[in-house]
Amino acid sequence: MSRKDGIETNGKTKKPIFKKWWFWLIVVIVIIGAVGGGKGKTDKADNKKDDKVETKSESKKQEVAQATPVTFEQMVTDYKANGSAADGKYKNKELQFSGKVTKITDGIISGSDITIEAGKFTDNEYMETTATVNIKDKEVAKTLVSGQEYTFTAKGTGAVVLDGGWVSNLTFKDGSIK
């Protein structure tokens, strides 16, 4: 005797193959393989797209290479003289500078914050200026060693200027090691 939903064998009802879960799993895997397998093929149009991507990344490297060299002393002098003018000169501009790393910590929002000795620019022996560079790529930050000097490129974000005109901290974002 047969039933609508299956075939009867020795008193047991068997489901048709297309009603078994493993059948559909195999079908899905085959479809994914077929769709994914076609992505490995390249033609001239794909190669042209790759060339355009390389050109864009090369021009981005050139932009980084055009970072303005600056010293912490010059930045502190400019911020002491006129903070607003110094912001116009340094904020969101790609800058290049060197300094000795003193501390490496997780960034407040993202990435890693690198603290750098900027120097002593006052007569007070306790007032040292530091610079803080945020590097988005934590893997790059993990390669740094406190006490070592590095050259950085980063965009200026401003300065913390306290009473009496002391510049306590210069801040930077989107940092990288040169």
Side-chain angles (χ1 to χ4, degrees):
M1 190 183 317
S2 66
R3 299 180 59 177
K4 267 187 173 178
D5 61 341
I7 302 168
E8 190 174 304
T9 310
N10 295 334
K12 293 185 181 177
T13 304
K14 281 187 161 185
K15 290 183 182 178
I17 194 165
F18 63 87
K19 288 190 175 184
K20 297 193 180 217
W21 67 269
W22 53 265
F23 172 79
W24 290 108
L25 178 66
I26 292 170
V27 169
V28 169
I29 291 171
V30 169
I31 290 171
I32 290 173
V35 170
K39 293 189 180 203
K41 297 178 183 177
T42 59
D43 59 9
K44 290 180 183 178
D46 286 342
N47 289 337
K48 287 180 183 177
K49 287 179 187 175
D50 290 342
D51 290 343
K52 288 179 184 177
V53 170
E54 286 179 30
T55 305
K56 285 180 184 177
S57 66
E58 287 173 12
S59 58
K60 218 173 195 186
K61 286 179 185 176
Q62 289 174 353
E63 287 176 23
V64 172
Q66 295 175 2
T68 304
V70 66
T71 64
F72 294 130
E73 184 175 16
Q74 183 60 52
M75 291 182 75
V76 167
T77 300
D78 290 345
Y79 274 103
K80 280 182 178 179
N82 183 332
S84 182
D87 276 346
K89 188 174 180 181
Y90 301 117
K91 261 192 173 178
N92 294 315
K93 305 287 191 303
E94 193 72 31
L95 305 170
Q96 179 179 326
F97 48 89
S98 296
K100 186 191 293 185
V101 171
T102 59
K103 185 170 51 170
I104 304 158
T105 59
D106 284 339
I108 295 171
I109 297 172
S110 68
S112 295
D113 287 337
I114 313 304
T115 304
I116 303 167
E117 287 180 3
K120 288 186 179 185
F121 303 107
T122 69
D123 293 337
N124 187 326
E125 64 181 286
Y126 301 107
M127 293 183 171
E128 290 186 25
T129 300
T130 59
T132 305
V133 180
N134 181 269
I135 296 178
K136 289 182 181 177
D137 188 348
K138 286 188 174 190
E139 294 306 311
V140 170
K142 287 178 182 179
T143 66
L144 302 177
V145 178
S146 290
Q148 296 292 316
E149 187 160 323
Y150 298 93
T151 299
F152 297 87
T153 57
K155 290 182 180 175
T157 57
V160 177
V161 183
L162 301 177
D163 290 339
W166 172 50
V167 178
S168 69
N169 187 260
L170 301 165
T171 57
F172 304 89
K173 66 179 180 180
D174 300 333
S176 63
I177 307 299
K178 186 140 174 124

